[in-house]
Amino acid sequence: MSKNIVIIGTGYVGLVTGACFAKVGNTITFVDIDKEKIDMINKGVVPFYEPGLDNLLSSYRGKINATVDYKVIKDNDITFVCVGTPSKDDGSIDLIHVKQAVENIGGILKEINRWHHVVIKSTVLPGTTEKILLPILEKKSGKNATMDFGLSMNPEFLREGTAVYDFLNADRIVIGANDERSADELVNLYKSFSLKIFKTSITTAEMIKYASNAFLATKISFVNEIGNMCKKLGIDAYEVADGMGLDKRIGRAFLDSGIGWGGSCFPKDLDALISWAKMIGEEHRIISSVVEVNKRQPLKMIDLLKKHVPNLNGKTIGVLGLAFKPNTDDIRGSRAVPVVNQLLKEKAVVKAFDPKAMENFKKMFLQIKYCSSAEEALDSDAVLVLTKWEEFKKLDFTGKIVIDGRRLLEAKKTARIYEGVCW
Ligand code: UDX
């Protein structure tokens, strides 16, 4: 049966979740404090770049609304909390948005006389939903969880750039609930997608999210460490990964070596996990090393560059790609940040191009030149490939020195000098 759903937070997780639920017949109301974003969504415009999302929003516009007013919760059955949980300066998780959202929801629950279901989708550390968010909801509403309202935890595993595909084709849906009514309601809601469902407790669901992200980041840092050895030995880390990946216990996914991981999730989630482990007095050696390897990995690009251009002072370096990965305009945690910082430190002249992320990068780096095409960035003393955008494959690198951080093998065919970071 279709439901009336409120989605709090219109980042890529909230919008994709809402749009996909609308696709299977539910009615969606997005709530965000950002009026500008709300106006855009009401016009069918996606406030950021996420492939397929604009199509979905416009196709199901009749089922979608957006507002800044939490009161809409009154007329709905389920509220998903999809607001961000960024890092504080010390790496610990900042719950300010999630707490605010839950306080507002609690205030509305006080005014309604029927059961309403609150689902936490924001990434929060194990124990947060039960120990911090539930008490806020109960205090603000004057009601009891389970009896008067449902509460569950439903982590997301959406990759930016393929978030719509990932939602519709997820490997699993994790449903963390401590009461049957909440669990059953979420199981029914997800039924239309025919995906594998894993039911567990709220705290376990929270941990599954962190453990999954930490493990994926570990795979990448591990393969980068192996990749650095491969480079020294003159062997190809991708061939090694292919050979390893055939072992079902290992799997080939997330064994692409390069300049490391970035994004809106891995960096903040690993920092939060480390900070939390410290707080509860637990060891975090592996996770800390994973982060450490990732900090050093992008600077391998500079070492390789200096093999061919020993003094960067006054040299023009073309940077291809600024987004943390292709198909997104997101530069959070992008490996381009430490690379560009180091180039500037060594007094190089940086000419950068990215098909989507230049506006965001400008907010951090005003002092570099932004090119109007990839070809323009190629007109440099050396070129660094930092993001594997499809369109870079068609470039002509004839006569160029190319340092490749993302395995754009097409560049190897034409470059005068080609260095892959781990191959
Ligand atoms: C990630 C998780 O995959 C997703 O499940 C979670 O919910 C949010 O965080 P995302 O940050 O969008 O998604 O990107 P992802 O595709 O996982 O890539 C993360 C980073 O790792 C990127 O910088 C990417 O370039 C890098 N990466 C990925 C590698 O260097 N090698 C790989 O083999 C895979």
Side-chain angles (χ1 to χ4, degrees):
M1 205 179 72
S2 69
K3 293 277 178 189
N4 296 319
I5 300 172
V6 174
I7 307 271
I8 314 277
T10 57
Y12 83 99
V13 173
L15 270 190
V16 169
T17 301
C20 290
F21 278 135
K23 181 180 159 67
V24 292
N26 300 287
T27 305
I28 308 298
T29 309
F30 291 107
V31 176
D32 202 295
I33 47 172
D34 187 338
K35 174 89 173 62
E36 218 177 300
K37 272 169 112 183
I38 291 302
D39 291 342
M40 288 172 87
I41 296 163
N42 278 328
K43 285 183 198 136
V45 179
V46 180
F48 47 86
Y49 179 69
E50 182 61 43
L53 187 53
D54 42 0
N55 242 338
L56 217 49
L57 268 198
S58 48
S59 305
Y60 298 96
R61 242 174 116 177
K63 295 211 151 282
I64 293 174
N65 251 304
T67 174
V68 290
D69 194 351
Y70 273 75
K71 284 208 182 75
V72 290
I73 290 173
K74 282 186 186 175
D75 310 315
N76 283 272
D77 312 307
I78 308 178
T79 297
F80 278 85
V81 177
C82 302
V83 296
T85 47
S87 303
K88 290 185 187 163
D89 288 343
D90 64 356
S92 64
I93 190 167
D94 191 345
L95 290 175
I96 183 164
H97 304 302
V98 131
K99 281 182 177 166
Q100 189 60 60
V102 163
E103 275 187 24
N104 293 344
I105 297 167
I108 305 295
L109 292 186
K110 191 179 182 149
E111 298 172 25
I112 54 181
N113 291 322
R114 60 193 175 96
W115 202 79
H116 186 91
H117 187 173
V118 181
V119 185
I120 308 298
K121 212 180 228 318
S122 301
T123 300
V124 291
L125 284 161
T128 306
T129 303
E130 278 184 88
K131 294 206 182 96
I132 300 175
L133 306 180
L134 184 147
I136 296 176
L137 281 169
E138 289 194 329
K139 189 167 171 234
K140 282 276 161 187
S141 65
K143 294 184 171 172
N144 292 319
T146 308
M147 227 156 63
D148 305 319
F149 63 90
L151 181 63
S152 52
M153 209 284 146
N154 172 221
E156 54 81 18
F157 303 98
L158 309 176
R159 289 166 299 176
E160 285 182 47
T162 50
V164 172
Y165 174 88
D166 286 355
F167 192 100
L168 300 172
N169 300 279
D171 288 337
R172 80 309 203 182
I173 300 296
V174 174
I175 293 178
N178 297 352
D179 68 281
E180 257 175 52
R181 186 169 175 184
S182 301
D184 289 348
E185 188 167 57
L186 271 193
V187 169
N188 283 331
L189 188 66
Y190 276 104
K191 247 188 195 143
S192 339
F193 300 105
S194 309
L195 299 165
K196 192 180 178 72
I197 288 184
F198 184 80
K199 283 203 282 180
T200 184
S201 72
I202 288 180
T203 311
T204 307
E206 292 168 328
M207 192 50 151
I208 288 171
K209 165 72 189 195
Y210 276 95
S212 301
N213 274 0
F215 186 74
L216 292 170
T218 303
K219 269 189 116 174
I220 304 168
S221 281
F222 175 84
V223 84
N224 282 338
E225 200 165 276
I226 295 288
N228 295 339
M229 295 175 199
C230 290
K231 180 74 185 173
K232 277 245 161 79
L233 292 167
I235 55 177
D236 181 350
Y238 276 62
E239 219 181 312
V240 174
D242 290 345
M244 286 168 69
L246 290 171
D247 186 328
K248 285 195 193 74
R249 293 168 302 173
I250 300 173
R252 177 62 181 83
F254 275 68
L255 288 181
D256 288 345
S257 53
I259 48 171
W261 42 269
S264 63
C265 286
F266 286 176
K268 77 159 174 85
D269 290 351
L270 270 79
D271 284 350
L273 203 53
I274 291 170
S275 162
W276 179 69
K278 274 186 200 150
M279 201 182 76
I280 60 169
E282 272 310 319
E283 238 178 13
H284 45 84
R285 285 194 211 188
I286 292 178
I287 305 168
S288 297
S289 306
V290 167
V291 172
E292 208 42 54
V293 169
N294 198 53
K295 276 197 185 126
R296 289 203 293 260
Q297 196 63 15
L299 299 178
K300 295 273 171 197
M301 295 289 280
I302 307 289
D303 296 344
L304 287 170
L305 172 64
K306 285 167 83 170
K307 235 172 92 180
H308 303 284
V309 188
N311 182 2
L312 297 179
N313 192 342
K315 290 284 185 315
T316 305
I317 307 300
V319 167
L320 288 180
L322 300 169
F324 84 94
K325 66 172 189 180
N327 299 320
T328 175
D329 60 0
D330 201 338
I331 60 150
R332 284 175 288 179
S334 170
R335 305 291 76 202
V337 175
V339 171
V340 169
N341 260 330
Q342 189 59 31
L343 289 173
L344 293 175
K345 212 163 145 192
E346 305 213 13
K347 302 202 163 36
V349 179
V350 178
K351 284 173 78 175
F353 177 77
D354 188 286
K356 295 281 176 208
M358 289 197 287
E359 284 313 309
N360 283 336
F361 213 76
K362 270 182 202 163
K363 292 175 199 156
M364 272 183 105
F365 291 93
L366 266 180
Q367 64 275 56
I368 66 172
K369 178 171 169 41
Y370 292 92
C371 300
S372 49
S373 67
E375 284 81 5
E376 196 187 330
L378 282 189
D379 185 19
S380 307
D381 293 306
V383 179
L384 308 185
V385 181
L386 301 186
T387 317
K388 196 174 184 172
W389 281 98
E390 198 58 33
E391 65 177 78
F392 294 164
K393 293 183 181 168
K394 297 185 200 107
L395 292 172
D396 180 4
F397 292 92
T398 306
K400 303 290 167 203
I401 300 174
V402 179
I403 315 297
D404 184 1
R406 295 293 183 194
R407 202 172 171 87
L408 191 78
L409 284 185
E410 290 75 5
K412 192 177 181 179
K413 292 181 198 147
T414 49
R416 178 166 62 87
I417 294 171
Y418 174 90
E419 293 273 6
V421 73
C422 298
W423 51 92

